[in-house]
Amino acid sequence: MLKNTESNRRFIKKNKVTVTKIYQKGCGELDQFNEQGWNLLAEEVSFPIAVLNERALKRNAQWMQSFTDKSAVQFAPHGKTTMAPELFKLQLAQGCWGISLATVPQVLNAYHSGIKRIVLANQLVGGYHFDLIADLLTHDDFVFYCFVDSIENVHSLGKYFTERNMPLNILIEIGVDGGRCGWRDIAHISPLIEVIKQYDCLHLSGLSFYEGVIHGDEATKKIKDFVKGIVYLTNQLSVNKAFYNSDVIITGAGSAWYDVVAKQLMLGSNPGLNFTAIIRPGCYLIHDTGIYQQAQNAVIERSQLACDISGELTSSLEVWAYVHSIPEPGLAIIGLGKRDIAFDAGLPMPQLHFRPELKCAGISHANHTSRTYQQNPQNEKNQTKPQPVDKRWQVVDIMDQHCMMRIPQDANLLVGDLVSFSSSHPCLTMDKWRQVAIVDEAFIVRKTIATYF
Amino acid sequence: MLKNTESNRRFIKKNKVTVTKIYQKGCGELDQFNEQGWNLLAEEVSFPIAVLNERALKRNAQWMQSFTDKSAVQFAPHGKTTMAPELFKLQLAQGCWGISLATVPQVLNAYHSGIKRIVLANQLVGGYHFDLIADLLTHDDFVFYCFVDSIENVHSLGKYFTERNMPLNILIEIGVDGGRCGWRDIAHISPLIEVIKQYDCLHLSGLSFYEGVIHGDEATKKIKDFVKGIVYLTNQLSVNKAFYNSDVIITGAGSAWYDVVAKQLMLGSNPGLNFTAIIRPGCYLIHDTGIYQQAQNAVIERSQLACDISGELTSSLEVWAYVHSIPEPGLAIIGLGKRDIAFDAGLPMPQLHFRPELKCAGISHANHTSRTYQQNPQNEKNQTKPQPVDKRWQVVDIMDQHCMMRIPQDANLLVGDLVSFSSSHPCLTMDKWRQVAIVDEAFIVRKTIATYF
């Protein structure tokens, strides 16, 4: 590890724009840091800190790639979950077809980080966005698709890209009533097709959809029917020569229903139509211990193919934070808030507990006179590695910079202890961090990666 | 405006680490950009974009400074709301005593941005944080206070700062049952005082509290009693010579009850005790159209002093976004999601609507054939400035990158239109942006400022 010299310290200061929550010893250029790193358990970083377990990341990447390979579909994972190009590269190295993204700035950040085949899984709207994408399209290595679902948007794109004398690959998005974007009535899609045909620059390359807005008891059946309808429409449009290429794309699937979508797309495949099915789940790489764990449990129940793949998806993300206060028996206040971890799909869940050595005079924290817990004999023995928390420890409320955790009155927990938390909905934890640490099994930071939200 | 030359374009790329959501023409060094800027209404920036109205910002800053001046209290606004040092400087220029912050990285960012008097309105916990603060304390111009509320934390701080041979100003935090941090039983505070006395390096400088966790019908009375108790305790401790200086600090107050706290602190002031009352509201500068607007309405009802100050707090923050799709009558899908705007205290509220000119061939967007709205005569006339939205336009759901807005079936709204949204809880909108644009009344970007979350 680099020494904590004055010049290194200055380097941290100089880089303060990008180095925000992670202040750590001796190194400024975080994403170039690949050697032996800081030890979390020796408090060599600032807390809270978001960490990704390297092994779990790789395992998750492999698991989903196996799933898509066995399903004979292509994979363009949604990059909006992490917005971390280092992780996009990990996904591509596993064999992904490309990366899906949600906004034009995301596309620019990904392209300039080396990602060349991108699906903007969204409408391309707005004058300056047209400029930015058109400029990227001057690069020969850039392969780009975007969704369209309205006549207005087709006119705008058509006029702009005609004027720029530049082709644009578009995918018609199909939607469901009461859902999000997407053309609703597939029986009456000809008005949209006719407008697309007016513009030679618009290369209709296939169809797209997002089934994640379908809910309710009948969801599986509704999704099957929805996908079936889209495959049927693709066949029809193909017969009518609506597509620019003979190789047509159909792309859909978030992280909850990818098995149903992949299976239905492959069932719809027939010798008369040559289409490339591309699924787009994004959360699997980080995963969680909340809504996406539940969704994955349902996948495993539904899909023999998923069930047969060795291993499983596990949450690779934790946020570690200090106990700031135990102001009354049974209540711990943690230095972890809405600024640090997702809270929109369930409160953070404590996972591991660790008591660091006190920095001064080599005194173990546990040797302190504890106001509340001095009778507890466990305090006398210092931990050497983090332990799973008591299941009764539960976060009950969260504020901007703190959360409140209920604990039993005799809990072995002290001010200054470290607790790790998993979360529900990885997208909303990742976007709170500009740098995320990749750690090994011993909680040594092996690398930090930048996010581009 | 700088020309959109190739060399400027390269500069954008080079700076992509910090330039994330705001991609704009011709200029990379955003926070140095002070001259004529990009026109939002001419779509010269990427959307969504978070903008602060310059006039409203200044008016809010002045209003609250007037309040604190007339209340004869000092003011250390909580910087965690914005984490934008440019705004801290605006606050200090109005006469603020210092800036309050919530975490050690926030303190470092503020100090290195020129903020010299800082209250860490939180416990200082953790080995590396001790190092970071101790290093800052070697700078003669750094004036720093932190909160303590436990014997364990006092021991840790005392041992560490004794070893470093360095004084540390501490404020005892007092809390309420079931609340957040803070010593609970003010009748039995002597164990904490005794431990503080063991360490010469710990300079007990006063008391602190946060009343914002007190709720319910009797909140006003409870808060008055709570503050009264703290003033009484300060008197007692002063008599017992517990404080390091004769000038003692009492600091409290968030953005909801600052009037009650300020009044109660001043009522408690007596000739025998020389204390400096410091309030710490943070949201007033940005303000909102949700929970803090409600809280401010209550302040105006309660406080004659607040009522007598000319002007009022208004929301200075809006996020502008495109209509991506109107996939079915009565439903507009907006390119604005949980990544862009607060949603924890109410959904975003549409405020203004604008229809940009189409970029290509000088054709107005309104001249398009509109699938749904071609009968609407209003479409034929192009707006020259944003108009307040129909009150029936309402966001009903929000996802990561989109929100769903219900509109009347005959609404004058098209794909590609711009809509601005205000929000409830400014802290949770600000932390989604690395650069925020300061705009004038014509929606020209006068400056962009960096945040350090």
Side-chain angles (χ1 to χ4, degrees), chain A residues 433-434 451-453, chain B residues 17-18 20 433-436 449-451:
Chain A
W433 297 90
R434 300 185 192 191
T451 67
Y452 295 82
F453 290 101
Chain B
V17 173
T18 51
T20 50
W433 297 90
R434 300 185 192 191
Q435 296 282 342
V436 178
I449 58 170
T451 66

Side-chain angles (χ1 to χ4, degrees), chain B residues 255-256 283 286-298 313-317 342 344-349 351 421-426 429:
Chain B
S255 300
C283 291
I286 307 299
H287 205 55
D288 71 8
T289 57
I291 53 172
Y292 288 102
Q293 180 57 49
Q294 289 165 23
Q296 181 66 7
N297 291 343
L313 298 184
T314 56
S315 174
S316 60
L317 174 63
D344 66 314
L347 290 170
M349 290 154 271
Q351 297 294 334
F421 294 83
S422 64
S423 63
S424 180
H425 195 183
T429 298

Side-chain angles (χ1 to χ4, degrees), chain A residues 344-414:
Chain A
D344 66 315
L347 290 169
M349 291 154 269
Q351 297 294 335
L352 296 172
H353 168 228
F354 184 74
R355 179 158 303 153
E357 295 280 321
L358 267 193
K359 282 190 72 72
C360 48
I363 295 169
S364 155
H365 189 140
N367 293 339
H368 267 212
T369 306
S370 161
R371 178 165 56 98
T372 322
Y373 306 106
Q374 51 188 321
Q375 316 91 323
N376 191 333
Q378 287 181 69
N379 286 356
E380 302 308 315
K381 262 171 71 182
N382 213 46
Q383 300 168 335
T384 56
K385 62 174 193 172
Q387 301 295 324
V389 304
D390 184 324
K391 293 290 173 203
R392 292 169 296 174
W393 299 10
Q394 287 200 329
V395 174
V396 292
D397 201 2
I398 192 163
M399 302 179 77
D400 287 1
Q401 310 275 174
H402 302 84
C403 67
M404 285 73 158
M405 186 169 75
R406 286 279 160 210
I407 51 174
Q409 298 214 359
D410 62 348
N412 176 21
L413 189 67
L414 292 176

